[in-house]
Amino acid sequence: MKSETQIKGSNPLRSRNRNRQAVLGHIQAAGTMGRAEIARALGLSTQAVSNIIADLLGEGLILEKGTRIAGRGLPAVQYGVDPKGGYAFGVEIRPDAIFTALLDLSGTTVDTARTELTDNSPDIVVGRVLSLRERMLEAAGVVDDRLLGTGIVMPGPFGKTGLSGRSSDLQGWEDTNARALFETTLGGAIELSNDANAAALSERLTGVAQGIGSYAFVYFGKGLGLGIISEGRLVSGAFGNAGEVGHVPVLGPGGPVPLESMLSRVSIQSLIGGSDPLDLETLDRLFRERDSRLLDWLSRAAEALGQAVLLLENILDPQTIILGGAMPGSIIDHLVETCPLSTSSVSNRHDNPFPRLQRGTCGRMTATLGAASLVLHRAFTPQQDT
């Protein structure tokens, strides 16, 4: 995960865990680094870095990767992340299915799976997740002490809010403390987030957002969500509900309407009709056939997206806005190409090397991979609370 944002460390003992995350994150971002180079980048003493390096070597998280000559003196030993030193398990919970992914410490996908879900009540779901995790770890030959944690993502909002009960929610979880339930059942480190936040981190770890410090990720699930990354950090909000962009009003043909009603798979279904859900293969086929109903939706959706982009740019000042998730790449590409980008935006500038709007590269599994990326993100990124 490359990052142009350099996070400074500090020497006090109380910041040791933070420094450890910073050291591991810099090694992962650079591929290989030496002690002196890490110390300079983080503003730490060489001795402090040496102590952290010794701990990381002892835990099997990093390994020596040769030497490099830099100026006078002996060649400097280079250190890199050991992909087999740790693993992250990711879970995406949807109303009708559970998607799981196992990533190694380098962010490489070891395995993925989809499991149908006929009962999505909390007790049933957590039991199923525990079983799936045990099965996937055993199949990959991963021992329990190499599991860094489990990332769980599901549609928001979390808790009872003024947005609860919408068609894109995961029903029946409003009164459940999801974090406590998963911590009690699964044990170990648990990262909980909405699907859009996880998808944004997935793009940062292995997708198009590598090397981009501040961006917004518009996520197509059943509804529409938003993940916000600012200076390399995920913006979650006070209750984990930042980014509920699908409920932001935009101007439709008949007046103000929620963005989600014009720019989501739910809105396509409403326009095209039919009782069978439109899967991604069907949507891609309709696009290739130039279906008039879908083309009508695309025209309206691009206009709504343009309004949303203007709002996000002027509020967040991102380097880029990325579209991705459970929507065919052909449709996303069309939206990117036809979206009217306003000139009255702080993002209308010539010194930004990134496009204002682009498609992500992690595909339909981006939120599932992002769930595991939440675990890796915490391992590599110093947290404010540590």
Side-chain angles (χ1 to χ4, degrees):
M1 177 175 57
K2 304 173 185 175
S3 173
E4 78 298 331
T5 302
Q6 300 298 314
I7 302 174
K8 295 296 182 181
S10 56
N11 277 314
L13 181 60
R14 64 184 175 83
S15 298
R16 184 174 178 81
N17 189 50
R18 179 180 173 84
N19 291 339
R20 170 192 165 97
Q21 291 168 318
V23 169
L24 188 59
H26 269 67
I27 293 174
Q28 197 275 341
T32 60
M33 290 186 82
R35 298 173 194 245
E37 188 180 6
I38 296 169
R40 287 193 298 270
L42 294 174
L44 295 170
S45 69
T46 303
Q47 184 59 53
V49 172
S50 294
N51 292 339
I52 294 172
I53 289 291
D55 289 344
L56 296 175
L57 283 169
E59 295 171 25
L61 296 174
I62 62 173
L63 42 72
E64 294 186 4
K65 290 196 170 182
T67 60
R68 183 167 65 89
I69 298 176
R72 298 179 180 180
L74 295 174
V77 176
Q78 300 294 292
Y79 300 94
V81 167
D82 184 352
K84 297 181 179 180
Y87 295 83
F89 184 67
V91 182
E92 179 187 1
I93 301 170
R94 298 185 189 177
D96 59 351
I98 297 176
F99 291 78
T100 52
L102 184 66
L103 305 186
D104 67 20
L105 195 57
S106 70
T108 299
T109 302
V110 177
D111 195 10
T112 61
R114 179 189 187 278
T115 305
E116 291 188 3
L117 194 62
T118 56
D119 182 347
N120 57 32
S121 59
D123 289 342
I124 295 296
V125 168
V126 294
R128 184 68 64 84
V129 168
L130 177 60
S131 175
L132 291 171
R133 188 179 70 177
E134 292 176 346
R135 189 185 313 165
M136 189 169 281
L137 291 178
E138 181 179 1
V142 177
V143 295
D144 289 344
D145 63 359
R146 287 299 177 190
L147 182 65
L148 301 178
T150 300
I152 310 285
V153 303
M154 57 183 68
F158 294 125
K160 281 192 173 181
T161 74
L163 301 180
S164 299
R166 307 298 177 98
S167 62
S168 57
D169 291 351
L170 185 65
Q171 304 296 324
W173 286 74
E174 295 89 346
D175 295 316
T176 299
N177 185 332
R179 179 179 295 278
L181 183 60
F182 282 115
E183 287 177 343
T184 300
T185 306
L186 302 180
I190 299 295
E191 299 293 332
L192 179 69
S193 182
N194 66 44
D195 44 15
N197 286 344
L201 283 179
S202 179
E203 289 290 343
R204 180 167 172 77
L205 185 69
T206 60
V208 73
Q210 294 179 82
I212 304 179
S214 298
Y215 61 93
F217 185 93
V218 177
Y219 176 71
F220 292 97
K222 182 179 180 183
L224 195 70
L226 178 72
I228 305 167
I229 303 293
S230 178
E231 297 184 345
R233 297 182 183 276
L234 180 66
V235 178
S236 299
F239 302 99
N241 290 324
E244 286 293 333
V245 72
H247 306 291
V248 171
V250 295
L251 187 62
V257 295
L259 177 63
E260 194 171 90
S261 69
M262 297 186 67
L263 185 66
S264 67
R265 287 168 58 196
V266 172
S267 65
I268 302 177
Q269 188 84 52
S270 298
L271 182 64
I272 293 180
S275 56
D276 295 330
L278 295 168
D279 57 29
L280 270 61
E281 289 71 21
T282 300
L283 288 173
D284 183 58
R285 176 179 58 78
L286 291 174
F287 178 79
R288 287 185 284 102
E289 293 174 351
R290 316 305 291 173
D291 182 90
S292 60
R293 299 164 300 173
L294 182 59
L295 293 179
D296 182 39
W297 176 86
L298 282 166
S299 177
R300 300 182 188 185
E303 178 60 36
L305 177 61
Q307 296 179 54
V309 166
L310 177 60
L311 178 68
L312 295 175
E313 288 180 338
N314 284 338
I315 291 178
L316 302 176
D317 189 24
Q319 292 169 275
T320 187
I321 293 176
I322 303 168
L323 307 183
M327 186 71 79
S330 57
I331 290 180
I332 294 179
D333 286 340
H334 184 85
L335 288 171
V336 170
E337 293 169 3
T338 59
C339 175
L341 297 176
S342 174
T343 57
S344 302
S345 168
V346 296
S347 295
N348 182 25
R349 54 192 305 153
H350 302 291
D351 57 349
N352 182 7
F354 304 105
R356 289 170 64 180
L357 191 64
Q358 61 180 309
R359 174 165 67 93
T361 56
C362 288
R364 68 180 68 182
M365 290 286 286
T366 180
T368 313
L369 299 174
S373 298
L374 290 168
V375 177
L376 299 181
H377 179 71
R378 177 164 286 274
F380 297 138
T381 307
Q383 306 298 310
Q384 296 287 2
D385 58 346
T386 59

